[in-house]
Amino acid sequence: KVDVVGSLHMKKKILICLVVQLICWSIMTLSDYMEEMNNDSNNLFVVFAVPSVCVVLYIIFRRWIYDNQRVRLKDVAIICVAWLIFGLIFGLGISVLVNNEMWIVPQATGGWEHLLNGIEYMMFSMTLAGIPFVVVVLIESVIGIVKVVSKKD
């Protein structure tokens, strides 16, 4: 038998990861565009702020993500693996495009800083993958431990 409901829940989790990654990368690209066009340097803020916002959104929408059901290790693993895979695909793809001057945001040229063009995309891919991954694992671990301890009482 095929578990249709379970399959739909898994697809929902994967789709959530994809949509959130697309939104995050769009914000990063827009931030880089503003930096390149206006010589504004808020990009470093975005590199750390966007992943942190993902964590806050996960906490807020946690019950909805898991359909108000008991959170299983399998569910957390699906979200974490999907998140890392999409992050790897987008991060590598966009970084290669930026480094080959094929990305939709033209990079500034000239000066020594030209050597660092595109590094914010690489930094963003690491923080976008790492920060939410670690925090989700920590949140679910703490919740699991609290539930186990409270069952013993």
Side-chain angles (χ1 to χ4, degrees), residues 1-25:
K1 282 186 175 179
V2 176
D3 182 11
V4 176
V5 174
S7 178
L8 289 174
H9 291 300
M10 183 174 71
K11 287 178 184 176
K12 173 185 169 185
K13 291 172 186 68
I14 292 171
L15 184 62
I16 289 170
C17 289
L18 175 62
V19 169
V20 172
Q21 283 270 351
L22 286 170
I23 291 169
C24 291
W25 281 102

mmCIF file with all atom_site columns, all heavy atoms in Angstrom, residues 1-25:
data_model
loop_
_atom_site.group_PDB
_atom_site.id
_atom_site.type_symbol
_atom_site.label_atom_id
_atom_site.label_alt_id
_atom_site.label_comp_id
_atom_site.label_asym_id
_atom_site.label_entity_id
_atom_site.label_seq_id
_atom_site.pdbx_PDB_ins_code
_atom_site.Cartn_x
_atom_site.Cartn_y
_atom_site.Cartn_z
_atom_site.occupancy
_atom_site.B_iso_or_equiv
_atom_site.pdbx_formal_charge
_atom_site.auth_seq_id
_atom_site.auth_comp_id
_atom_site.auth_asym_id
_atom_site.auth_atom_id
_atom_site.pdbx_PDB_model_num
ATOM 1   N N   . LYS A 1 1  ? 0.837  -1.198 0.000  1.00 0.00 ? 1  LYS A N   1
ATOM 2   C CA  . LYS A 1 1  ? 0.000  0.000  0.000  1.00 0.00 ? 1  LYS A CA  1
ATOM 3   C C   . LYS A 1 1  ? 0.875  1.253  0.000  1.00 0.00 ? 1  LYS A C   1
ATOM 4   O O   . LYS A 1 1  ? 1.894  1.306  0.654  1.00 0.00 ? 1  LYS A O   1
ATOM 5   C CB  . LYS A 1 1  ? -0.873 0.030  1.244  1.00 0.00 ? 1  LYS A CB  1
ATOM 6   C CG  . LYS A 1 1  ? -2.062 -0.871 1.193  1.00 0.00 ? 1  LYS A CG  1
ATOM 7   C CD  . LYS A 1 1  ? -2.890 -0.620 2.438  1.00 0.00 ? 1  LYS A CD  1
ATOM 8   C CE  . LYS A 1 1  ? -4.160 -1.405 2.373  1.00 0.00 ? 1  LYS A CE  1
ATOM 9   N NZ  . LYS A 1 1  ? -4.977 -1.202 3.557  1.00 0.00 ? 1  LYS A NZ  1
ATOM 10  N N   . VAL A 1 2  ? 0.396  2.251  -0.683 1.00 0.00 ? 2  VAL A N   1
ATOM 11  C CA  . VAL A 1 2  ? 1.076  3.543  -0.704 1.00 0.00 ? 2  VAL A CA  1
ATOM 12  C C   . VAL A 1 2  ? 0.378  4.454  0.296  1.00 0.00 ? 2  VAL A C   1
ATOM 13  O O   . VAL A 1 2  ? -0.846 4.591  0.282  1.00 0.00 ? 2  VAL A O   1
ATOM 14  C CB  . VAL A 1 2  ? 1.033  4.159  -2.118 1.00 0.00 ? 2  VAL A CB  1
ATOM 15  C CG1 . VAL A 1 2  ? 1.649  5.535  -2.117 1.00 0.00 ? 2  VAL A CG1 1
ATOM 16  C CG2 . VAL A 1 2  ? 1.719  3.255  -3.118 1.00 0.00 ? 2  VAL A CG2 1
ATOM 17  N N   . ASP A 1 3  ? 1.149  5.074  1.150  1.00 0.00 ? 3  ASP A N   1
ATOM 18  C CA  . ASP A 1 3  ? 0.612  6.000  2.134  1.00 0.00 ? 3  ASP A CA  1
ATOM 19  C C   . ASP A 1 3  ? 0.440  7.369  1.459  1.00 0.00 ? 3  ASP A C   1
ATOM 20  O O   . ASP A 1 3  ? 1.356  8.172  1.417  1.00 0.00 ? 3  ASP A O   1
ATOM 21  C CB  . ASP A 1 3  ? 1.564  6.096  3.332  1.00 0.00 ? 3  ASP A CB  1
ATOM 22  C CG  . ASP A 1 3  ? 1.038  7.012  4.422  1.00 0.00 ? 3  ASP A CG  1
ATOM 23  O OD1 . ASP A 1 3  ? -0.152 7.415  4.350  1.00 0.00 ? 3  ASP A OD1 1
ATOM 24  O OD2 . ASP A 1 3  ? 1.811  7.333  5.330  1.00 0.00 ? 3  ASP A OD2 1
ATOM 25  N N   . VAL A 1 4  ? -0.749 7.605  0.900  1.00 0.00 ? 4  VAL A N   1
ATOM 26  C CA  . VAL A 1 4  ? -1.011 8.816  0.136  1.00 0.00 ? 4  VAL A CA  1
ATOM 27  C C   . VAL A 1 4  ? -0.921 10.052 1.029  1.00 0.00 ? 4  VAL A C   1
ATOM 28  O O   . VAL A 1 4  ? -0.317 11.055 0.663  1.00 0.00 ? 4  VAL A O   1
ATOM 29  C CB  . VAL A 1 4  ? -2.392 8.745  -0.559 1.00 0.00 ? 4  VAL A CB  1
ATOM 30  C CG1 . VAL A 1 4  ? -2.705 10.051 -1.267 1.00 0.00 ? 4  VAL A CG1 1
ATOM 31  C CG2 . VAL A 1 4  ? -2.419 7.590  -1.534 1.00 0.00 ? 4  VAL A CG2 1
ATOM 32  N N   . VAL A 1 5  ? -1.510 9.974  2.208  1.00 0.00 ? 5  VAL A N   1
ATOM 33  C CA  . VAL A 1 5  ? -1.484 11.118 3.126  1.00 0.00 ? 5  VAL A CA  1
ATOM 34  C C   . VAL A 1 5  ? -0.051 11.435 3.537  1.00 0.00 ? 5  VAL A C   1
ATOM 35  O O   . VAL A 1 5  ? 0.374  12.595 3.517  1.00 0.00 ? 5  VAL A O   1
ATOM 36  C CB  . VAL A 1 5  ? -2.372 10.852 4.364  1.00 0.00 ? 5  VAL A CB  1
ATOM 37  C CG1 . VAL A 1 5  ? -2.233 11.970 5.378  1.00 0.00 ? 5  VAL A CG1 1
ATOM 38  C CG2 . VAL A 1 5  ? -3.817 10.693 3.946  1.00 0.00 ? 5  VAL A CG2 1
ATOM 39  N N   . GLY A 1 6  ? 0.725  10.408 3.886  1.00 0.00 ? 6  GLY A N   1
ATOM 40  C CA  . GLY A 1 6  ? 2.123  10.620 4.262  1.00 0.00 ? 6  GLY A CA  1
ATOM 41  C C   . GLY A 1 6  ? 2.932  11.195 3.123  1.00 0.00 ? 6  GLY A C   1
ATOM 42  O O   . GLY A 1 6  ? 3.785  12.053 3.314  1.00 0.00 ? 6  GLY A O   1
ATOM 43  N N   . SER A 1 7  ? 2.638  10.738 1.910  1.00 0.00 ? 7  SER A N   1
ATOM 44  C CA  . SER A 1 7  ? 3.337  11.241 0.729  1.00 0.00 ? 7  SER A CA  1
ATOM 45  C C   . SER A 1 7  ? 3.019  12.713 0.499  1.00 0.00 ? 7  SER A C   1
ATOM 46  O O   . SER A 1 7  ? 3.896  13.498 0.156  1.00 0.00 ? 7  SER A O   1
ATOM 47  C CB  . SER A 1 7  ? 2.937  10.412 -0.495 1.00 0.00 ? 7  SER A CB  1
ATOM 48  O OG  . SER A 1 7  ? 3.561  10.906 -1.640 1.00 0.00 ? 7  SER A OG  1
ATOM 49  N N   . LEU A 1 8  ? 1.753  13.094 0.700  1.00 0.00 ? 8  LEU A N   1
ATOM 50  C CA  . LEU A 1 8  ? 1.374  14.501 0.547  1.00 0.00 ? 8  LEU A CA  1
ATOM 51  C C   . LEU A 1 8  ? 2.052  15.374 1.592  1.00 0.00 ? 8  LEU A C   1
ATOM 52  O O   . LEU A 1 8  ? 2.480  16.491 1.299  1.00 0.00 ? 8  LEU A O   1
ATOM 53  C CB  . LEU A 1 8  ? -0.147 14.653 0.626  1.00 0.00 ? 8  LEU A CB  1
ATOM 54  C CG  . LEU A 1 8  ? -0.929 14.125 -0.565 1.00 0.00 ? 8  LEU A CG  1
ATOM 55  C CD1 . LEU A 1 8  ? -2.433 14.209 -0.300 1.00 0.00 ? 8  LEU A CD1 1
ATOM 56  C CD2 . LEU A 1 8  ? -0.568 14.877 -1.823 1.00 0.00 ? 8  LEU A CD2 1
ATOM 57  N N   . HIS A 1 9  ? 2.137  14.874 2.826  1.00 0.00 ? 9  HIS A N   1
ATOM 58  C CA  . HIS A 1 9  ? 2.798  15.631 3.883  1.00 0.00 ? 9  HIS A CA  1
ATOM 59  C C   . HIS A 1 9  ? 4.285  15.808 3.566  1.00 0.00 ? 9  HIS A C   1
ATOM 60  O O   . HIS A 1 9  ? 4.853  16.870 3.805  1.00 0.00 ? 9  HIS A O   1
ATOM 61  C CB  . HIS A 1 9  ? 2.627  14.949 5.239  1.00 0.00 ? 9  HIS A CB  1
ATOM 62  C CG  . HIS A 1 9  ? 1.223  14.983 5.750  1.00 0.00 ? 9  HIS A CG  1
ATOM 63  N ND1 . HIS A 1 9  ? 0.543  16.148 6.004  1.00 0.00 ? 9  HIS A ND1 1
ATOM 64  C CD2 . HIS A 1 9  ? 0.361  13.986 6.060  1.00 0.00 ? 9  HIS A CD2 1
ATOM 65  C CE1 . HIS A 1 9  ? -0.669 15.876 6.435  1.00 0.00 ? 9  HIS A CE1 1
ATOM 66  N NE2 . HIS A 1 9  ? -0.816 14.565 6.476  1.00 0.00 ? 9  HIS A NE2 1
ATOM 67  N N   . MET A 1 10 ? 4.912  14.766 3.024  1.00 0.00 ? 10 MET A N   1
ATOM 68  C CA  . MET A 1 10 ? 6.321  14.856 2.666  1.00 0.00 ? 10 MET A CA  1
ATOM 69  C C   . MET A 1 10 ? 6.516  15.869 1.535  1.00 0.00 ? 10 MET A C   1
ATOM 70  O O   . MET A 1 10 ? 7.424  16.699 1.586  1.00 0.00 ? 10 MET A O   1
ATOM 71  C CB  . MET A 1 10 ? 6.861  13.493 2.249  1.00 0.00 ? 10 MET A CB  1
ATOM 72  C CG  . MET A 1 10 ? 8.346  13.522 1.937  1.00 0.00 ? 10 MET A CG  1
ATOM 73  S SD  . MET A 1 10 ? 9.061  11.913 1.595  1.00 0.00 ? 10 MET A SD  1
ATOM 74  C CE  . MET A 1 10 ? 8.354  11.561 0.010  1.00 0.00 ? 10 MET A CE  1
ATOM 75  N N   . LYS A 1 11 ? 5.641  15.826 0.533  1.00 0.00 ? 11 LYS A N   1
ATOM 76  C CA  . LYS A 1 11 ? 5.737  16.777 -0.576 1.00 0.00 ? 11 LYS A CA  1
ATOM 77  C C   . LYS A 1 11 ? 5.542  18.204 -0.082 1.00 0.00 ? 11 LYS A C   1
ATOM 78  O O   . LYS A 1 11 ? 6.200  19.125 -0.557 1.00 0.00 ? 11 LYS A O   1
ATOM 79  C CB  . LYS A 1 11 ? 4.713  16.436 -1.657 1.00 0.00 ? 11 LYS A CB  1
ATOM 80  C CG  . LYS A 1 11 ? 5.076  15.204 -2.445 1.00 0.00 ? 11 LYS A CG  1
ATOM 81  C CD  . LYS A 1 11 ? 4.016  14.880 -3.478 1.00 0.00 ? 11 LYS A CD  1
ATOM 82  C CE  . LYS A 1 11 ? 4.370  13.584 -4.180 1.00 0.00 ? 11 LYS A CE  1
ATOM 83  N NZ  . LYS A 1 11 ? 3.331  13.172 -5.119 1.00 0.00 ? 11 LYS A NZ  1
ATOM 84  N N   . LYS A 1 12 ? 4.636  18.369 0.876  1.00 0.00 ? 12 LYS A N   1
ATOM 85  C CA  . LYS A 1 12 ? 4.390  19.701 1.441  1.00 0.00 ? 12 LYS A CA  1
ATOM 86  C C   . LYS A 1 12 ? 5.664  20.225 2.107  1.00 0.00 ? 12 LYS A C   1
ATOM 87  O O   . LYS A 1 12 ? 6.039  21.374 1.903  1.00 0.00 ? 12 LYS A O   1
ATOM 88  C CB  . LYS A 1 12 ? 3.247  19.634 2.449  1.00 0.00 ? 12 LYS A CB  1
ATOM 89  C CG  . LYS A 1 12 ? 3.014  20.925 3.211  1.00 0.00 ? 12 LYS A CG  1
ATOM 90  C CD  . LYS A 1 12 ? 1.947  20.726 4.267  1.00 0.00 ? 12 LYS A CD  1
ATOM 91  C CE  . LYS A 1 12 ? 1.880  21.889 5.205  1.00 0.00 ? 12 LYS A CE  1
ATOM 92  N NZ  . LYS A 1 12 ? 0.936  21.671 6.295  1.00 0.00 ? 12 LYS A NZ  1
ATOM 93  N N   . LYS A 1 13 ? 6.332  19.383 2.874  1.00 0.00 ? 13 LYS A N   1
ATOM 94  C CA  . LYS A 1 13 ? 7.552  19.801 3.565  1.00 0.00 ? 13 LYS A CA  1
ATOM 95  C C   . LYS A 1 13 ? 8.646  20.166 2.564  1.00 0.00 ? 13 LYS A C   1
ATOM 96  O O   . LYS A 1 13 ? 9.345  21.164 2.730  1.00 0.00 ? 13 LYS A O   1
ATOM 97  C CB  . LYS A 1 13 ? 8.036  18.693 4.493  1.00 0.00 ? 13 LYS A CB  1
ATOM 98  C CG  . LYS A 1 13 ? 7.129  18.450 5.685  1.00 0.00 ? 13 LYS A CG  1
ATOM 99  C CD  . LYS A 1 13 ? 7.566  17.215 6.446  1.00 0.00 ? 13 LYS A CD  1
ATOM 100 C CE  . LYS A 1 13 ? 6.627  16.846 7.547  1.00 0.00 ? 13 LYS A CE  1
ATOM 101 N NZ  . LYS A 1 13 ? 5.330  16.372 7.118  1.00 0.00 ? 13 LYS A NZ  1
ATOM 102 N N   . ILE A 1 14 ? 8.778  19.373 1.522  1.00 0.00 ? 14 ILE A N   1
ATOM 103 C CA  . ILE A 1 14 ? 9.793  19.643 0.501  1.00 0.00 ? 14 ILE A CA  1
ATOM 104 C C   . ILE A 1 14 ? 9.451  20.921 -0.255 1.00 0.00 ? 14 ILE A C   1
ATOM 105 O O   . ILE A 1 14 ? 10.327 21.750 -0.522 1.00 0.00 ? 14 ILE A O   1
ATOM 106 C CB  . ILE A 1 14 ? 9.940  18.433 -0.447 1.00 0.00 ? 14 ILE A CB  1
ATOM 107 C CG1 . ILE A 1 14 ? 10.550 17.253 0.331  1.00 0.00 ? 14 ILE A CG1 1
ATOM 108 C CG2 . ILE A 1 14 ? 10.786 18.779 -1.657 1.00 0.00 ? 14 ILE A CG2 1
ATOM 109 C CD1 . ILE A 1 14 ? 10.556 15.940 -0.413 1.00 0.00 ? 14 ILE A CD1 1
ATOM 110 N N   . LEU A 1 15 ? 8.181  21.115 -0.575 1.00 0.00 ? 15 LEU A N   1
ATOM 111 C CA  . LEU A 1 15 ? 7.752  22.322 -1.268 1.00 0.00 ? 15 LEU A CA  1
ATOM 112 C C   . LEU A 1 15 ? 7.986  23.564 -0.406 1.00 0.00 ? 15 LEU A C   1
ATOM 113 O O   . LEU A 1 15 ? 8.412  24.603 -0.917 1.00 0.00 ? 15 LEU A O   1
ATOM 114 C CB  . LEU A 1 15 ? 6.276  22.211 -1.667 1.00 0.00 ? 15 LEU A CB  1
ATOM 115 C CG  . LEU A 1 15 ? 5.732  23.370 -2.489 1.00 0.00 ? 15 LEU A CG  1
ATOM 116 C CD1 . LEU A 1 15 ? 6.470  23.480 -3.823 1.00 0.00 ? 15 LEU A CD1 1
ATOM 117 C CD2 . LEU A 1 15 ? 4.233  23.192 -2.725 1.00 0.00 ? 15 LEU A CD2 1
ATOM 118 N N   . ILE A 1 16 ? 7.720  23.455 0.881  1.00 0.00 ? 16 ILE A N   1
ATOM 119 C CA  . ILE A 1 16 ? 7.983  24.577 1.791  1.00 0.00 ? 16 ILE A CA  1
ATOM 120 C C   . ILE A 1 16 ? 9.461  24.948 1.744  1.00 0.00 ? 16 ILE A C   1
ATOM 121 O O   . ILE A 1 16 ? 9.806  26.127 1.638  1.00 0.00 ? 16 ILE A O   1
ATOM 122 C CB  . ILE A 1 16 ? 7.552  24.225 3.239  1.00 0.00 ? 16 ILE A CB  1
ATOM 123 C CG1 . ILE A 1 16 ? 6.033  24.179 3.354  1.00 0.00 ? 16 ILE A CG1 1
ATOM 124 C CG2 . ILE A 1 16 ? 8.127  25.224 4.241  1.00 0.00 ? 16 ILE A CG2 1
ATOM 125 C CD1 . ILE A 1 16 ? 5.526  23.605 4.660  1.00 0.00 ? 16 ILE A CD1 1
ATOM 126 N N   . CYS A 1 17 ? 10.337 23.959 1.798  1.00 0.00 ? 17 CYS A N   1
ATOM 127 C CA  . CYS A 1 17 ? 11.779 24.222 1.745  1.00 0.00 ? 17 CYS A CA  1
ATOM 128 C C   . CYS A 1 17 ? 12.161 24.916 0.443  1.00 0.00 ? 17 CYS A C   1
ATOM 129 O O   . CYS A 1 17 ? 12.931 25.877 0.449  1.00 0.00 ? 17 CYS A O   1
ATOM 130 C CB  . CYS A 1 17 ? 12.572 22.926 1.898  1.00 0.00 ? 17 CYS A CB  1
ATOM 131 S SG  . CYS A 1 17 ? 12.502 22.226 3.541  1.00 0.00 ? 17 CYS A SG  1
ATOM 132 N N   . LEU A 1 18 ? 11.611 24.451 -0.663 1.00 0.00 ? 18 LEU A N   1
ATOM 133 C CA  . LEU A 1 18 ? 11.918 25.040 -1.962 1.00 0.00 ? 18 LEU A CA  1
ATOM 134 C C   . LEU A 1 18 ? 11.453 26.491 -2.042 1.00 0.00 ? 18 LEU A C   1
ATOM 135 O O   . LEU A 1 18 ? 12.211 27.380 -2.438 1.00 0.00 ? 18 LEU A O   1
ATOM 136 C CB  . LEU A 1 18 ? 11.279 24.215 -3.085 1.00 0.00 ? 18 LEU A CB  1
ATOM 137 C CG  . LEU A 1 18 ? 11.412 24.788 -4.494 1.00 0.00 ? 18 LEU A CG  1
ATOM 138 C CD1 . LEU A 1 18 ? 12.872 24.883 -4.911 1.00 0.00 ? 18 LEU A CD1 1
ATOM 139 C CD2 . LEU A 1 18 ? 10.619 23.954 -5.489 1.00 0.00 ? 18 LEU A CD2 1
ATOM 140 N N   . VAL A 1 19 ? 10.218 26.744 -1.634 1.00 0.00 ? 19 VAL A N   1
ATOM 141 C CA  . VAL A 1 19 ? 9.661  28.093 -1.715 1.00 0.00 ? 19 VAL A CA  1
ATOM 142 C C   . VAL A 1 19 ? 10.430 29.050 -0.811 1.00 0.00 ? 19 VAL A C   1
ATOM 143 O O   . VAL A 1 19 ? 10.782 30.167 -1.224 1.00 0.00 ? 19 VAL A O   1
ATOM 144 C CB  . VAL A 1 19 ? 8.148  28.085 -1.372 1.00 0.00 ? 19 VAL A CB  1
ATOM 145 C CG1 . VAL A 1 19 ? 7.611  29.495 -1.184 1.00 0.00 ? 19 VAL A CG1 1
ATOM 146 C CG2 . VAL A 1 19 ? 7.371  27.348 -2.453 1.00 0.00 ? 19 VAL A CG2 1
ATOM 147 N N   . VAL A 1 20 ? 10.728 28.629 0.407  1.00 0.00 ? 20 VAL A N   1
ATOM 148 C CA  . VAL A 1 20 ? 11.466 29.496 1.333  1.00 0.00 ? 20 VAL A CA  1
ATOM 149 C C   . VAL A 1 20 ? 12.874 29.769 0.793  1.00 0.00 ? 20 VAL A C   1
ATOM 150 O O   . VAL A 1 20 ? 13.361 30.901 0.860  1.00 0.00 ? 20 VAL A O   1
ATOM 151 C CB  . VAL A 1 20 ? 11.507 28.896 2.755  1.00 0.00 ? 20 VAL A CB  1
ATOM 152 C CG1 . VAL A 1 20 ? 12.436 29.683 3.659  1.00 0.00 ? 20 VAL A CG1 1
ATOM 153 C CG2 . VAL A 1 20 ? 10.108 28.859 3.346  1.00 0.00 ? 20 VAL A CG2 1
ATOM 154 N N   . GLN A 1 21 ? 13.529 28.764 0.231  1.00 0.00 ? 21 GLN A N   1
ATOM 155 C CA  . GLN A 1 21 ? 14.856 28.973 -0.361 1.00 0.00 ? 21 GLN A CA  1
ATOM 156 C C   . GLN A 1 21 ? 14.776 29.983 -1.510 1.00 0.00 ? 21 GLN A C   1
ATOM 157 O O   . GLN A 1 21 ? 15.622 30.871 -1.618 1.00 0.00 ? 21 GLN A O   1
ATOM 158 C CB  . GLN A 1 21 ? 15.439 27.648 -0.872 1.00 0.00 ? 21 GLN A CB  1
ATOM 159 C CG  . GLN A 1 21 ? 15.971 26.764 0.219  1.00 0.00 ? 21 GLN A CG  1
ATOM 160 C CD  . GLN A 1 21 ? 17.434 27.015 0.533  1.00 0.00 ? 21 GLN A CD  1
ATOM 161 O OE1 . GLN A 1 21 ? 18.134 27.740 -0.158 1.00 0.00 ? 21 GLN A OE1 1
ATOM 162 N NE2 . GLN A 1 21 ? 17.894 26.417 1.606  1.00 0.00 ? 21 GLN A NE2 1
ATOM 163 N N   . LEU A 1 22 ? 13.770 29.846 -2.364 1.00 0.00 ? 22 LEU A N   1
ATOM 164 C CA  . LEU A 1 22 ? 13.614 30.791 -3.475 1.00 0.00 ? 22 LEU A CA  1
ATOM 165 C C   . LEU A 1 22 ? 13.408 32.216 -2.965 1.00 0.00 ? 22 LEU A C   1
ATOM 166 O O   . LEU A 1 22 ? 13.991 33.167 -3.501 1.00 0.00 ? 22 LEU A O   1
ATOM 167 C CB  . LEU A 1 22 ? 12.445 30.372 -4.376 1.00 0.00 ? 22 LEU A CB  1
ATOM 168 C CG  . LEU A 1 22 ? 12.686 29.169 -5.269 1.00 0.00 ? 22 LEU A CG  1
ATOM 169 C CD1 . LEU A 1 22 ? 11.378 28.716 -5.925 1.00 0.00 ? 22 LEU A CD1 1
ATOM 170 C CD2 . LEU A 1 22 ? 13.734 29.478 -6.330 1.00 0.00 ? 22 LEU A CD2 1
ATOM 171 N N   . ILE A 1 23 ? 12.599 32.362 -1.949 1.00 0.00 ? 23 ILE A N   1
ATOM 172 C CA  . ILE A 1 23 ? 12.366 33.690 -1.370 1.00 0.00 ? 23 ILE A CA  1
ATOM 173 C C   . ILE A 1 23 ? 13.662 34.240 -0.784 1.00 0.00 ? 23 ILE A C   1
ATOM 174 O O   . ILE A 1 23 ? 14.009 35.408 -1.011 1.00 0.00 ? 23 ILE A O   1
ATOM 175 C CB  . ILE A 1 23 ? 11.247 33.636 -0.305 1.00 0.00 ? 23 ILE A CB  1
ATOM 176 C CG1 . ILE A 1 23 ? 9.899  33.357 -0.979 1.00 0.00 ? 23 ILE A CG1 1
ATOM 177 C CG2 . ILE A 1 23 ? 11.197 34.937 0.505  1.00 0.00 ? 23 ILE A CG2 1
ATOM 178 C CD1 . ILE A 1 23 ? 8.782  33.015 -0.011 1.00 0.00 ? 23 ILE A CD1 1
ATOM 179 N N   . CYS A 1 24 ? 14.392 33.416 -0.049 1.00 0.00 ? 24 CYS A N   1
ATOM 180 C CA  . CYS A 1 24 ? 15.653 33.863 0.562  1.00 0.00 ? 24 CYS A CA  1
ATOM 181 C C   . CYS A 1 24 ? 16.662 34.293 -0.500 1.00 0.00 ? 24 CYS A C   1
ATOM 182 O O   . CYS A 1 24 ? 17.305 35.339 -0.369 1.00 0.00 ? 24 CYS A O   1
ATOM 183 C CB  . CYS A 1 24 ? 16.248 32.753 1.422  1.00 0.00 ? 24 CYS A CB  1
ATOM 184 S SG  . CYS A 1 24 ? 15.302 32.394 2.904  1.00 0.00 ? 24 CYS A SG  1
ATOM 185 N N   . TRP A 1 25 ? 16.809 33.483 -1.543 1.00 0.00 ? 25 TRP A N   1
ATOM 186 C CA  . TRP A 1 25 ? 17.760 33.828 -2.603 1.00 0.00 ? 25 TRP A CA  1
ATOM 187 C C   . TRP A 1 25 ? 17.308 35.066 -3.369 1.00 0.00 ? 25 TRP A C   1
ATOM 188 O O   . TRP A 1 25 ? 18.137 35.856 -3.829 1.00 0.00 ? 25 TRP A O   1
ATOM 189 C CB  . TRP A 1 25 ? 17.990 32.642 -3.542 1.00 0.00 ? 25 TRP A CB  1
ATOM 190 C CG  . TRP A 1 25 ? 18.942 31.666 -2.929 1.00 0.00 ? 25 TRP A CG  1
ATOM 191 C CD1 . TRP A 1 25 ? 18.633 30.478 -2.324 1.00 0.00 ? 25 TRP A CD1 1
ATOM 192 C CD2 . TRP A 1 25 ? 20.358 31.802 -2.820 1.00 0.00 ? 25 TRP A CD2 1
ATOM 193 N NE1 . TRP A 1 25 ? 19.768 29.874 -1.849 1.00 0.00 ? 25 TRP A NE1 1
ATOM 194 C CE2 . TRP A 1 25 ? 20.840 30.655 -2.148 1.00 0.00 ? 25 TRP A CE2 1
ATOM 195 C CE3 . TRP A 1 25 ? 21.269 32.769 -3.223 1.00 0.00 ? 25 TRP A CE3 1
ATOM 196 C CZ2 . TRP A 1 25 ? 22.193 30.468 -1.871 1.00 0.00 ? 25 TRP A CZ2 1
ATOM 197 C CZ3 . TRP A 1 25 ? 22.613 32.580 -2.949 1.00 0.00 ? 25 TRP A CZ3 1
ATOM 198 C CH2 . TRP A 1 25 ? 23.055 31.441 -2.280 1.00 0.00 ? 25 TRP A CH2 1
#
